[in-house]
Amino acid sequence: MTPRANPDEIPHLAWAVSEQWAYGGGLYHIKCDYRLMIDNLMDLTHETYVHATSIGQEEIEEAPPKTTVEGDMVITARHMENIKAPPFWASALRANGLDDQLACDRWQICRFTPPSHVMIEVGVAHAGHGGYDAPADKKAGSIVVDFITPETDESIWYFWGMARNFKPQDAELTAAIREGQGGIFAEDQEVLEAQQRNLSAYPDKKILRLNIDAGGVQSRKVLDRLIDAERARAAGADMENAA
């Protein structure tokens, strides 16, 4: 039997093999459909409400995201200009030796790769220096790492973490960021499990989709297409074997 997994299709994680990057993360068991987690990660508007004390701010709602599809990859990007850094990012600026009181430009670029892999480039830079493209001495940025392994129709194993390329040798900073990020994801877990309980209790109800949900909607379309193709191949193989 030919294995379904193709090692050649595993994304290369450059930050994982570079001394210029540091990484800290963990693992959560979450009682929800894996697609709910993808929805959550591909639309960060919820940060304004769910993560109000850490990474949320009103400006997120005021900057509409732009979603594009490149083959099987879905990309949702949001850029905010001339804003105040929220608490988590103010702390990151200070850790990188930067003034946390200056106005900043902020970015969130979410990349979904099937079946359930999401990488999110996030960060802030002192305003007027190019935002995402600002020089390293004017910004603090990182990659939010999200690997989602379905367990059942209503549960997942969620491997999470954050990779950063400033002060990579600072172990205390890595631990502090990991603790802060862990708290943020714990807030997501509470919301996701509540969503799943509602969906399980009312299976005939359809999920309301808004314009800001385009990242999750397009990701589900990619998944549906790939699942349909896999099922068609399996059905064809069964027919050949039967013949």
Side-chain angles (χ1 to χ4, degrees):
M1 176 180 291
T2 302
R4 293 185 180 181
N6 183 353
D8 294 336
E9 296 180 358
I10 298 175
H12 176 61
L13 307 178
W15 51 264
V17 294
S18 171
E19 294 183 354
Q20 302 304 312
W21 289 78
Y23 175 83
L27 171 65
Y28 281 145
H29 183 256
I30 302 179
K31 297 177 182 178
C32 75
D33 184 316
Y34 76 104
R35 292 169 299 180
L36 288 179
M37 176 59 84
I38 294 172
D39 293 343
N40 175 75
L41 296 168
M42 292 300 290
D43 172 29
L44 301 182
T45 307
H46 71 277
E47 290 182 353
T48 303
Y49 311 101
V50 181
H51 311 305
T53 62
S54 55
I55 54 177
Q57 58 187 141
E58 293 180 358
E59 288 86 352
I60 295 175
E61 283 190 297
E62 298 168 1
K66 178 181 178 181
T67 298
T68 56
V69 181
E70 299 178 3
D72 290 339
M73 177 182 289
V74 180
I75 304 168
T76 294
R78 175 186 268 118
H79 296 269
M80 295 154 271
E81 296 182 350
N82 203 36
I83 64 172
K84 181 178 176 60
F88 180 90
W89 286 110
S91 176
L93 286 170
R94 292 193 301 272
N96 202 23
L98 295 169
D99 189 341
D100 66 341
Q101 295 302 308
L102 295 180
C104 291
D105 297 331
R106 183 181 180 187
W107 59 90
Q108 300 170 324
I109 305 172
C110 312
R111 291 181 173 87
F112 163 76
T113 303
S116 54
H117 164 205
V118 180
M119 291 287 193
I120 310 176
E121 290 189 78
V122 290
V124 294
H126 285 166
H129 292 280
Y132 175 80
D133 296 313
D137 63 351
K138 298 295 182 182
K139 67 182 178 182
S142 61
I143 300 174
V144 178
V145 179
D146 306 283
F147 296 116
I148 306 158
T149 301
E151 180 187 45
T152 69
D153 289 345
E154 297 183 1
S155 65
I156 62 174
W157 288 100
Y158 176 43
F159 298 83
W160 58 269
M162 179 173 280
R164 74 176 191 285
N165 61 354
F166 62 91
K167 295 194 174 181
Q169 307 305 323
D170 190 333
E172 290 186 5
L173 177 58
T174 300
I177 290 176
R178 180 186 181 281
E179 181 178 356
Q181 191 189 23
I184 291 169
F185 285 146
E187 293 171 337
D188 281 326
Q189 178 175 6
E190 183 177 349
V191 172
L192 289 165
E193 292 187 344
Q195 285 182 301
Q196 185 61 60
R197 287 194 296 271
N198 285 335
L199 289 171
S200 298
Y202 305 99
D204 295 330
K205 294 286 186 179
K206 293 185 178 180
I207 299 176
L208 177 64
R209 300 294 185 186
L210 305 174
N211 290 338
I212 56 175
D213 298 318
V217 170
Q218 293 300 325
S219 298
R220 287 190 180 229
K221 286 183 177 180
V222 169
L223 285 169
D224 289 344
R225 172 169 52 79
L226 294 176
I227 290 170
D228 288 344
E230 182 177 288
R231 287 174 174 168
R233 288 194 299 271
D238 289 342
M239 292 180 63
E240 288 183 7
N241 292 334

